[in-house]
Amino acid sequence: MHVSLPLLCGSLLPFLTGSLALPKARAEKHYAIMDNDWYTAGFVPFLIALDGNVDVLGLASDTANTWQPQVALHAVATLEAGNLSCIPVYPGATWPLINTPHRFQAWESIHGKLPWEGAFAPENKTLDAQGNDPTSGNPNRIVKSAFKEGFPKGKPNNSTSAANFMVQMVHKHPGQVSIYSAGALTNVALAVRMDPQFASLAKNLVIMGGYVDLNMLEATGSIMLADLQSDINLMIDPEASKIALTADFPEIIVAGNVANQVMPDQKFLDEVHEVRNPYTDLFHRYYDLLFPFWDETAAALMVDPSIVVNQTSVYLDVDTSYGSPNYGNIHVYQKALAPPGIGKVKYVFEVDADKLKQRVKHSLQHPKSCADLKK
Ligand SMILES: *[C@@H]1O[C@H](CO)[C@@H](O)[C@H](O)[C@H]1NC(C)=O
Ligand SMILES: *[C@@H]1O[C@H](CO)[C@@H](O)[C@H](O)[C@H]1NC(C)=O
Ligand SMILES: *[C@@H]1O[C@H](CO)[C@@H](O)[C@H](O)[C@H]1NC(C)=O
Ligand SMILES: *[C@@H]1O[C@H](CO)[C@@H](O)[C@H](O)[C@H]1NC(C)=O
Ligand SMILES: *[C@@H]1O[C@H](CO)[C@@H](O)[C@H](O)[C@H]1NC(C)=O
């Protein structure tokens, strides 16, 4: 085929220069600080990050499904399970900015119960004794029997707080650090308020949470279906959610409704377990088939935005009025109608399910260890 010069200049040239620019872009290192309510089978997100060549600077702990001190020890324990203790764990805030179990339970008595109340479920000594992570009561109590992955030998690094570590790292690597949050946003909000440059110096904020337009499903489906639509991560600390999600991060990626898209099944667990290692063993034994790949979806989006099949850009706010049934839930706007002081986020509707499952499987079957990270 004859290619005329104008065509070459007009369409191929930008492509060529674009591809020439790629090696430089690839050399740019991608770091992450991963903040979560870590638990026995909660290691897949950091394995996905490491498998995607993201340098995980540290894990941070927050109070969401259970209290922060228990979460930090789960982080240490699940790193130890795979010789990943070279990744430090920085303890986050134990208390949300203003929320408390009492305040949350009082809200529920007016606006209705959540199927899953996380750390704010009433204290239940029977459940503690059965090896469940602690709820309400003394936030500093550690329930050792909940460490089915093994109680950690090491400790979180208490030389600084999670929020302070986040601030330090974005200054050290401006524009290169992803802040991943798949629990409550308390630490991220503290970092935002502590340092006015923090958000703008990060690469992006990637969260799990932020459901919209699912109220009818909560009303007409099973309690289980209602559970999958209740936004506990944001609701544990609504004020922090608002501070974090309206801060001037260069990019905010929200894995809200899409986090419910891809479910594990027994066949997948078995397939992953064809390769035996401590992580595939724990995954096979403890990953709950009732729940979608929530935190895994957000981790995969952080590593590889090309798994997105459908997304939109919206202006996002968080409802912080205690008198509202949507307290702690997001509200989205188009630009022309958005109130001042909020920003645009990437709201993902759909991901490539096969690519996501491939990432989960590969990261578990070929987990990086500290020996690999030193190379
Ligand atoms: C961790 O290190 C120990 C000692 O070097 C080794 O025996 C074990 O196989 C390693 N485990 C993993 C998951 O790499
Ligand atoms: C505590 O949990 C146990 C086990 O699930 C349950 O039978 C019991 O009703 C709970 N107690 C309270 C006070 O909710
Ligand atoms: C804890 O983290 C600090 C950096 O914040 C580091 O200097 C120190 O070596 C770490 N401590 C341990 C025991 O790893
Ligand atoms: C931090 O950890 C060190 C070493 O484990 C311990 O001695 C110290 O008491 C801890 N500090 C706090 C505030 O927990
Ligand atoms: C993207 O998702 C939105 C929301 O579910 C839907 O309205 C729209 O049709 C989807 N677009 C494509 C191209 O699938």
Side-chain angles (χ1 to χ4, degrees), residues 90 157 159-160:
Y90 291 94
N157 183 328
S159 69
T160 191

Side-chain angles (χ1 to χ4, degrees), residues 122-127 130:
E123 181 176 14
N124 183 327
K125 296 207 161 74
T126 313
L127 286 175
Q130 288 170 353

Side-chain angles (χ1 to χ4, degrees), residues 57-101:
L57 295 168
L59 305 186
S61 50
D62 59 71
T63 287
N65 280 345
T66 184
W67 292 109
Q68 180 283 130
Q70 177 94 358
V71 164
L73 288 173
H74 273 302
V76 175
T78 52
L79 288 166
E80 283 177 359
N83 289 344
L84 279 167
S85 303
C86 53
I87 297 175
V89 176
Y90 291 94
T94 296
W95 290 98
L97 298 186
I98 64 172
N99 228 357
T100 63

Side-chain angles (χ1 to χ4, degrees), residues 211-233:
Y211 295 138
V212 278
D213 294 343
L214 297 171
N215 182 215
M216 191 57 85
L217 275 181
E218 291 182 277
T220 55
S222 61
I223 297 284
M224 187 60 208
L225 194 63
D227 185 9
L228 300 187
Q229 327 306 324
S230 69
D231 221 345
I232 191 74
N233 286 348

Side-chain angles (χ1 to χ4, degrees), residues 96-119:
L97 298 186
I98 64 172
N99 228 357
T100 63
H102 173 74
R103 194 173 174 277
F104 176 85
Q105 289 158 17
W107 175 88
E108 280 187 307
S109 74
I110 306 291
H111 297 289
K113 271 183 110 52
L114 291 191
W116 175 254
E117 299 160 303

Side-chain angles (χ1 to χ4, degrees), residues 10-53:
S11 65
L12 283 180
L13 215 55
F15 173 74
L16 285 175
T17 49
S19 65
L20 284 177
L22 266 180
K24 190 164 172 258
R26 282 218 182 101
E28 182 97 325
K29 227 172 153 47
H30 184 181
Y31 299 95
I33 298 171
M34 303 182 77
D35 190 330
N36 209 348
D37 45 356
W38 308 102
Y39 73 107
T40 294
F43 40 78
V44 189
F46 63 71
L47 295 180
I48 289 177
L50 296 170
D51 194 37
N53 292 319

Side-chain angles (χ1 to χ4, degrees), residues 250-278:
E251 176 187 63
I252 297 181
I253 300 175
V254 180
N257 296 12
V258 71
N260 280 332
Q261 184 196 323
V262 186
M263 293 285 295
D265 56 23
Q266 192 58 46
K267 188 167 153 279
F268 182 72
L269 260 54
D270 292 344
E271 195 182 309
V272 167
H273 205 211
E274 281 165 15
V275 173
R276 299 290 162 96
N277 65 45

